[in-house]
Structures are given as structure tokens and as C-alpha cells.
Amino acid sequence: MERHVRLAPEDRAALDGLARQHVRPVAPRQDIVGQHDDPYHTHLILDGWACRYRQFPDGRRAIVSLLLPGDLCDPGVTRRARMDHAIGALTAVTVARIAPDQIGAAVRARPALDECLWLEMRDTTALQREWIASVGRRTAIERLAHLFCELYLRLARVGLADGNTIPMPVTQPDLADALGQTSVHINRTLKALRGAGLIALRGRRLTIHDLDGLMKRGLFDPAYLHLA
Amino acid sequence: MERHVRLAPEDRAALDGLARQHVRPVAPRQDIVGQHDDPYHTHLILDGWACRYRQFPDGRRAIVSLLLPGDLCDPGVTRRARMDHAIGALTAVTVARIAPDQIGAAVRARPALDECLWLEMRDTTALQREWIASVGRRTAIERLAHLFCELYLRLARVGLADGNTIPMPVTQPDLADALGQTSVHINRTLKALRGAGLIALRGRRLTIHDLDGLMKRGLFDPAYLHLA
DNA sequence: GCCGCGCGCTAACCTGCGTTAAGCGACCGC
DNA sequence: GCGGTCGCTTAACGCAGGTTAGCGCGCGGC
């Protein structure tokens, strides 16, 4: 599950151990961690899609990142602080709750895991940077194309792509909040991408007909994902 | 310079040692690290303002974060990877170059520094999240107000605020690229903020007349900065 | 098996911000 | 001291994307 880096079997075993304890299901639209909580646990997404989001007093919502199976919620949470945003389930989700001292112990026992956490962190920040660039400077169609490329590669990395199609369980309003637009415009843009023959989206599944074309349309450069 | 956390004098001394070696001046508008470099060193900003940015083939530029004196460029760079963005000087800058093995050695010698690096990382990601929320869901005037609040508090934290005024050495085109807008509209928005009596901006210095008002205007909640 | 609600989809209209353009002043290099 | 470039400012105009509204459908709850 963790990064494509050298990990001894014992390291994997240690991770497995953490992931198996305290597994918890979360219903769609429920918060995993609330916006003003004093979070104690780190969470590992085992199944389903979640997101970090920030909610403004007037109701506007900004989805700040998407969390897919295999993603770790807050490696740095060990260093405690009040939450400034929330983590919510977009679909039905199952998460593993991991206590900070467990992480600390695991890292001390198996130093390679510390390296893993740093890599995880590095990837997270790279992803966030690309999102800022997207929302800041890409047009509507570029944003959506870019997001689809990103999701495809991230899901493929953890074995959740089925050929050229991936699950796409999020609603159009969700996409809108993630891309800084309205659901109406997301719908228009989807129509355009379909019309261009780049994708098909039906029944919560996205099929990418032309990945190269989609990448070009979204100014997508996979470097930031740090794939193998 | 580093986070407001318990640091033994020896820890500070170790940091100081790193910061004093290989100090280098960088001219305004020059890159500190290029967009496709294979970066070897971490950089610490000692003076001046820099930014991370991503440049698209057609010339569009997205500034993805602002780096102020005291900011560390890439604690995680130890874990090598090709750059997917660039770091550039906005003003004349002086940076300290720090080799990865120096960081490694320092961390092993003084474990408290590892904690520092994690905190730095935590703050960086929180900042990036807030920027995504800004560009995604805040209006032009809210974005600018929010950015000014953020910069004021970040500079005050390192002793660079002079009462209610701070240096503001960046151009309007720079602000535009940081906030995902055009310089023309930045100019309009500045006029509005001035007109509302919230700020004054003259000669590369920003005076905040009404911090509370500015915070309200920018939907600013300082929680994400993790101040004392 | 029915009801209600949320989502997908579309259309018509509106506006915040982008675009283009132009004048002016400060700074820089020669 | 002079010309060129870049940033600031404003104005006029255009458009990408927001807003509002309305319909149909699928799904979950009871």
C-alpha cells in the first residue's frame, strides 16, 4: 500500500498491523474528523473516497484534497494542533484509526517507516501545489481534464483502475467544490469533454478514451505524482 | 528563527551553524531552483522574498507559495526527486544552501530538530490548504484581504512587522499570479480595499489600518498558521 | 409500493473578472 | 542625460463562468 520504495517484509508487517486495528466504517457525507476537533488519531483510508474540506460561515465549501484508498490522513497529526479544516467521507468509507503513540513506536522500531512518512508528506504537498496551480491558472476544461488524469494515475497506482476506466463515485457538486466552480459549469464542461471524445462518464464510472489527449487538454505533467 | 517550540540552546546553535554556511545572494527575478532541476540542496531564506511557482508552456504562471525570511525551502528534498516547479526570487534574496547530509547529520545529533522539520512541514501544508480554499472559493477582495492578513501575521511572527505596517515588495503582477487573477483586477481590488479604509499601500510598504476589519473582509481565521 | 430528495441535465440571463489599450512616472543601463 | 522597459492606473469592452429555474429520474426510507 505504501509508496513504491524499498520496504523490508518486517516493515510491511508493521504497517499491516497498524492498519488492521480499529477499523471503522463511516457513512457517506459524514465527517471523519470535524472542522474544530482536537484530533488525536491519524486515519488511513482503506476503502471509499474522502476529502479534506474547508467550510465558510456562509456555506461555501472548498474541497482541498481528495483522499483515496491507501491515503494516510495526517501523518503529522502526532504533532497536535486544533483542526483548521474537516475530513469528510464522500462515499461509504472504511478507515483505520491509528493512535499517535503507535506511529511513534512503529517508527522507532522500524526506521524505514519514518522515510515512508516523509515521502507521503512530500507527495501530499506536491499534490496540493498542483491543485493551487489548477484552480489559479487552468481554465474549466483544463482543470477537469487534469483532475481526471490525476485520479486515474493515483488509482492505477494502488491497483484500482480497471483498464482505462476508474470508479468515479463523487457527485458533480463535489467536483465543483474541488475545482472551485459550480455544479452547473462542471456539467457543461463534462459535456465538452464527452463531446471531444476524450471520456465517458456513466453510472459512477469514468472511462478515459484518450489518456494522451486528456493530458494535453489538462496541461498535465505527471512529474508531481512521483510515480516509479 | 524556527518554530515557537521548546528548543535547547544547543539545538539553536546547530541550526545557526547550518544557516551560516554557504550563504548566497540571488538577484531579483532569478531562479533559486529551476523547474526541472534535480535539486540537491535545501535552502533557507535569510532575507528577501521568494516564491514557488509553476510555469505553463504558454507562459501562464501560478505562484504556489510565498517564501519569507526564515522559511525553509524543502525540508523533504533529502528524499530526492526531480522538481515539478521552480523557486524564484521576487526581490533581492539571500539564501543559505544546506546539503542533505548536513540535515541528516544535524537531525541525528539533535533529535529535536526532526520535530522542527515536521512542524515546518505541517505549517507548510496548512498554508497550502488555505491557499487552495482562497483561490477556489474566495472572491477577489476576500482573497487579497486574506493574503494581507496572512503576510502580516507571518512577518510579525519573525519580527518583520513595524507596528501595523509590513514591507510589501511584490509587484501587482506577482500578486495576480499568486491569487489567480490579472494585475488589472488586483489593481481594482486594491483600490476597493483602500477605499474601504482598511489598508494603505505606498512605496512597497503596506499599512493595515483595521486588522479586524480586514480579517472579516477576507474570512480570515488565523488557526491555520499555528501561532503560539 | 410510494414519497421525497438529491443529482444530472439544460436553458436563459447576468456579472465578476479578463482583455486590450493607453498614458504616466520611476528606474536602469549606457 | 536619454531612451527603453516595467509597473501602476484607469477606461471600454467582452466572455467564461455564476445564478436561477425547471424537469426528470433513481434511490433510499418507511
Side-chain angles (χ1 to χ4, degrees):
Chain A
M1 264 208 187
E2 289 274 327
R3 225 38 60 246
H4 315 239
V5 219
R6 61 271 104 130
L7 267 191
E10 295 87 354
D11 296 326
R12 304 202 144 271
L15 276 180
D16 254 37
L18 292 183
R20 269 190 229 295
Q21 300 177 307
H22 305 296
V23 172
R24 177 165 69 102
V26 181
R29 312 273 139 203
Q30 295 297 306
D31 277 355
I32 299 173
V33 184
Q35 180 142 346
H36 297 292
D37 287 9
D38 219 338
Y40 186 67
H41 294 93
T42 295
H43 290 91
L44 171 66
I45 310 282
L46 295 175
D47 190 46
W49 290 29
C51 67
R52 289 171 197 288
Y53 68 94
R54 184 147 163 40
Q55 187 105 34
F56 293 112
D58 63 2
R60 276 177 280 177
R61 179 179 69 150
I63 290 182
V64 145
S65 57
L66 289 177
L67 302 168
L68 310 181
D71 284 346
L72 206 48
C73 270
D74 258 303
V77 112
T78 329
R79 292 77 188 171
R80 204 91 107 293
R82 178 142 312 114
M83 289 290 281
D84 50 14
H85 65 286
I87 300 180
L90 291 173
T91 68
V93 160
T94 99
V95 294
R97 193 158 46 73
I98 307 179
D101 51 342
Q102 286 182 294
I103 293 200
V107 163
R108 269 188 300 281
R110 312 231 40 98
L113 294 187
D114 189 54
E115 190 64 16
C116 271
L117 291 183
W118 273 108
L119 287 173
E120 184 75 20
M121 210 54 182
R122 178 199 66 174
D123 288 6
T124 302
T125 57
L127 228 84
Q128 287 181 339
R129 279 194 299 265
E130 197 63 32
W131 277 44
I132 297 176
S134 243
V135 175
R137 282 288 178 244
R138 274 186 256 254
T139 65
I141 198 166
E142 288 165 355
R143 270 181 233 185
L144 199 49
H146 188 276
L147 180 67
F148 285 160
C149 291
E150 176 184 310
L151 290 174
Y152 176 75
L153 291 178
R154 285 173 65 190
L155 288 168
R157 183 172 68 177
V158 291
L160 290 178
D162 170 15
N164 59 348
T165 110
I166 55 173
M168 184 59 54
V170 297
T171 67
Q172 292 181 14
D174 290 337
L175 286 175
D177 285 340
L179 297 181
Q181 301 184 251
T182 58
S183 62
V184 174
H185 201 63
I186 292 290
N187 190 287
R188 287 196 273 250
T189 309
L190 279 172
K191 197 169 155 188
L193 282 179
R194 269 192 283 248
L198 293 170
I199 62 159
L201 179 58
R202 284 188 343 269
R204 316 264 100 149
R205 295 182 65 74
L206 171 75
T207 301
I208 297 179
H209 289 132
D210 175 5
L211 184 57
D212 274 359
L214 197 63
M215 285 181 166
K216 216 163 282 164
R217 206 70 198 71
L219 303 173
F220 185 88
D221 172 358
Y224 76 101
L225 289 177
H226 303 288
L227 304 171
Chain B
M1 265 211 186
E2 291 273 325
R3 224 40 56 250
H4 315 238
V5 220
R6 63 266 102 133
L7 267 190
E10 294 86 353
D11 296 327
R12 305 202 144 272
L15 275 181
D16 253 37
L18 291 183
R20 268 190 229 295
Q21 298 177 307
H22 305 297
V23 172
R24 177 165 70 101
V26 180
R29 312 272 140 204
Q30 294 297 307
D31 276 357
I32 299 173
V33 184
Q35 179 142 346
H36 296 293
D37 286 9
D38 219 337
Y40 186 67
H41 295 92
T42 295
H43 290 91
L44 172 66
I45 309 282
L46 295 174
D47 190 46
W49 290 28
C51 67
R52 288 171 198 286
Y53 68 95
R54 184 145 162 39
Q55 187 105 35
F56 293 112
D58 63 2
R60 275 177 281 177
R61 179 180 69 150
I63 290 182
V64 143
S65 58
L66 289 176
L67 301 169
L68 310 181
D71 284 346
L72 206 48
C73 270
D74 259 303
V77 112
T78 329
R79 292 78 188 168
R80 203 91 106 292
R82 179 140 312 114
M83 290 290 281
D84 50 15
H85 65 285
I87 300 180
L90 291 173
T91 68
V93 160
T94 99
V95 293
R97 193 158 46 72
I98 307 179
D101 51 341
Q102 286 182 295
I103 294 200
V107 163
R108 270 187 300 279
R110 313 231 40 98
L113 294 187
D114 188 54
E115 190 64 15
C116 271
L117 290 183
W118 274 106
L119 287 173
E120 184 74 20
M121 210 56 183
R122 177 200 67 175
D123 289 5
T124 301
T125 57
L127 227 85
Q128 287 181 340
R129 280 194 299 264
E130 198 63 31
W131 278 44
I132 297 176
S134 242
V135 176
R137 282 289 179 242
R138 274 185 257 255
T139 65
I141 198 166
E142 288 165 354
R143 270 181 233 184
L144 199 50
H146 189 276
L147 180 67
F148 284 160
C149 292
E150 176 184 308
L151 290 174
Y152 175 76
L153 292 178
R154 285 173 66 189
L155 288 168
R157 183 172 69 177
V158 292
L160 290 178
D162 170 15
N164 61 347
T165 109
I166 54 173
M168 183 60 54
V170 296
T171 67
Q172 292 180 15
D174 290 337
L175 287 175
D177 285 341
L179 298 180
Q181 301 183 249
T182 59
S183 62
V184 174
H185 201 63
I186 292 290
N187 190 285
R188 289 196 272 250
T189 309
L190 278 172
K191 197 169 155 188
L193 282 177
R194 268 193 283 248
L198 293 170
I199 62 159
L201 179 57
R202 284 188 343 268
R204 316 264 100 148
R205 296 184 63 74
L206 171 74
T207 302
I208 298 180
H209 289 132
D210 174 5
L211 184 58
D212 273 0
L214 198 63
M215 284 181 167
K216 216 163 282 163
R217 205 71 198 70
L219 303 173
F220 185 87
D221 172 358
Y224 76 101
L225 289 177
H226 303 287
L227 304 170

